[in-house]
Amino acid sequence: MEPYSKITFNSHEKFSDKETLQQVTYQMIDIIKKYCEPISLYCFGVQNRSSFSNTLFTNEELPQNSSWHFYLLLISDRLRSNSTANLMDLLEKDSVGRISVTLICYSPTQIKSSNNEHLHFFAKVIQSGWLVYGKPYELAKLNLTNLPDLDFEGITKYSVTRIEVAQDLIKLISHSDSPVIASTLIHTVIEQLCIGMLYAFLYYHPNHFHLNFLLKLCSLFSSAPDQFFLQNAGYSETLQKMLNTSRHDLRFRNTDIYSKNDLNVLKSICIGFSEALIPCIEERLNELKIQTK
């Protein structure tokens, strides 16, 4: 599988009978421009989800709800502190949940000073992504031309280390009776697996570590994030609580955030997630190994 082969979008998909993807994109851009001044906005993935209504009195299924999720690289000279999280929350709120984004925000200076693997990621998105707003960036101005070859051995070593860390933490989780300790370990396992996957597939270290953000990026390459977390979060208060709890909150917490029953559920989900995600990462690393020969 080639890198980015699952990062696709289809401009002919329908948001509803009356709204095309292009119209939804304009709505998204208008909302982003209310809170930020982008130089360029590149889309490197789109997902559409619809739920349908069927009754005893109709022969056809009619769209009831439809929503779009965009994966975006936003380039701007004016990025506020925590702009990634703020913009994602504001856009979903302003669109009443119809439009959501996974947003990667960088200034031109930050892109130019990135490591080689990150430069490959940015170059791929700018060259092959969908420019939805602004002017196309010249790769040379961002130091994205004549890039050295990717360090596949370094990428593999990094991702393997993330897997090893996660596996050792899972062993600790099974022996922990403290909800505070166990919840911190579970959070870290999910984070480490996601970071390992993103570096193996995208060659990218995220600059934002909220679990929802990491899982949504990983869903480009695996169904496991949706299967174990994202699809069920709306129906489970326990999952919602976990996905909305920050690492910062866990770091300083001295009271239990989950009951023991909640933790048993989360432990099971965490183990199932790791068993589904690790083989996917390892398969990708085997592909990289072949490329180094």
Side-chain angles (χ1 to χ4, degrees):
M1 179 173 58
E2 290 298 315
Y4 309 93
S5 62
K6 289 190 178 180
I7 301 181
T8 58
F9 55 88
N10 184 346
S11 60
H12 301 292
E13 290 183 275
K14 293 296 183 89
F15 183 43
S16 71
D17 287 339
K18 296 181 180 180
E19 284 184 302
T20 65
L21 173 57
Q22 193 68 51
Q23 290 172 310
V24 178
T25 303
Y26 289 148
Q27 294 172 25
M28 175 192 69
I29 293 169
D30 287 342
I31 294 172
I32 290 176
K33 287 169 62 180
K34 285 169 58 179
Y35 303 103
C36 180
E37 297 181 24
I39 299 172
S40 300
L41 192 62
Y42 289 89
C43 178
F44 58 95
V46 177
Q47 293 175 344
N48 174 248
R49 287 184 179 173
S50 300
S51 60
F52 293 87
S53 174
N54 196 6
T55 76
L56 293 171
F57 307 101
T58 57
N59 294 322
E60 60 179 342
E61 293 186 341
L62 301 174
Q64 186 176 22
N65 295 299
S66 184
S67 62
W68 284 94
H69 188 89
F70 292 83
Y71 295 84
L72 302 172
L73 169 63
L74 186 152
I75 303 175
S76 175
D77 279 321
R78 299 181 180 181
L79 293 174
R80 299 176 182 177
S81 176
N82 205 29
S83 57
T84 297
N86 290 339
L87 281 170
M88 289 193 297
D89 289 343
L90 289 167
L91 199 147
E92 190 163 3
K93 180 180 178 181
D94 282 15
S95 68
V96 197
R98 296 187 311 153
I99 305 171
S100 59
V101 295
T102 296
L103 193 60
I104 296 176
C105 299
Y106 279 83
S107 69
T109 301
Q110 289 173 323
I111 292 176
K112 287 189 286 187
S113 62
S114 296
N115 64 31
N116 182 49
E117 280 66 40
H118 278 193
L119 293 177
H120 277 269
F121 167 71
F122 292 127
K124 180 67 178 182
V125 172
I126 291 173
Q127 283 181 306
S128 304
W130 172 27
L131 179 66
V132 296
Y133 177 79
K135 58 182 180 180
Y137 243 106
E138 292 182 27
L139 296 181
K141 289 185 177 180
L142 294 174
N143 296 341
L144 298 178
T145 56
N146 302 317
L147 296 177
D149 292 338
L150 285 162
D151 178 12
F152 290 127
E153 290 186 6
I155 292 167
T156 299
K157 183 178 180 181
Y158 180 86
S159 295
V160 167
T161 301
R162 304 281 70 73
I163 291 174
E164 292 172 346
V165 169
Q167 289 174 326
D168 283 347
L169 291 178
I170 287 172
K171 295 175 185 177
L172 295 176
I173 291 170
S174 61
H175 294 98
S176 176
D177 293 325
S178 166
V180 173
I181 294 173
S183 60
T184 303
L185 292 174
I186 290 170
H187 191 286
T188 306
V189 167
I190 298 166
E191 177 192 271
Q192 289 292 299
L193 290 174
C194 287
I195 291 172
M197 168 165 269
L198 294 177
Y199 207 55
F201 281 89
L202 291 180
Y203 321 130
Y204 175 69
H205 288 308
N207 59 358
H208 183 70
F209 295 94
H210 196 286
L211 288 188
N212 258 322
F213 176 83
L214 297 176
L215 289 166
K216 201 64 188 178
L217 272 180
C218 287
S219 69
L220 286 166
F221 307 103
S222 169
S223 61
D226 280 327
Q227 178 185 351
F228 288 94
F229 296 104
L230 301 175
Q231 286 180 348
N232 300 315
Y235 307 100
S236 168
E237 290 185 9
T238 302
L239 276 180
Q240 279 188 343
K241 190 184 297 182
M242 189 196 69
L243 294 178
N244 292 326
T245 300
S246 69
R247 186 75 178 270
H248 177 84
D249 185 35
L250 290 171
R251 187 178 295 122
F252 298 103
R253 177 171 287 278
N254 61 0
T255 57
D256 296 343
I257 191 171
Y258 306 110
S259 68
K260 288 193 175 181
N261 286 337
D262 287 342
L263 276 177
N264 287 333
V265 172
L266 292 177
K267 286 178 183 178
S268 177
I269 291 173
C270 182
I271 292 170
F273 178 66
S274 68
E275 291 174 347
L277 207 69
I278 288 174
C280 183
I281 300 173
E282 290 176 337
E283 180 182 354
R284 174 62 180 158
L285 295 180
N286 285 332
E287 293 171 357
L288 295 182
K289 186 177 180 180
I290 294 172
Q291 294 184 44
T292 63
K293 293 181 179 181

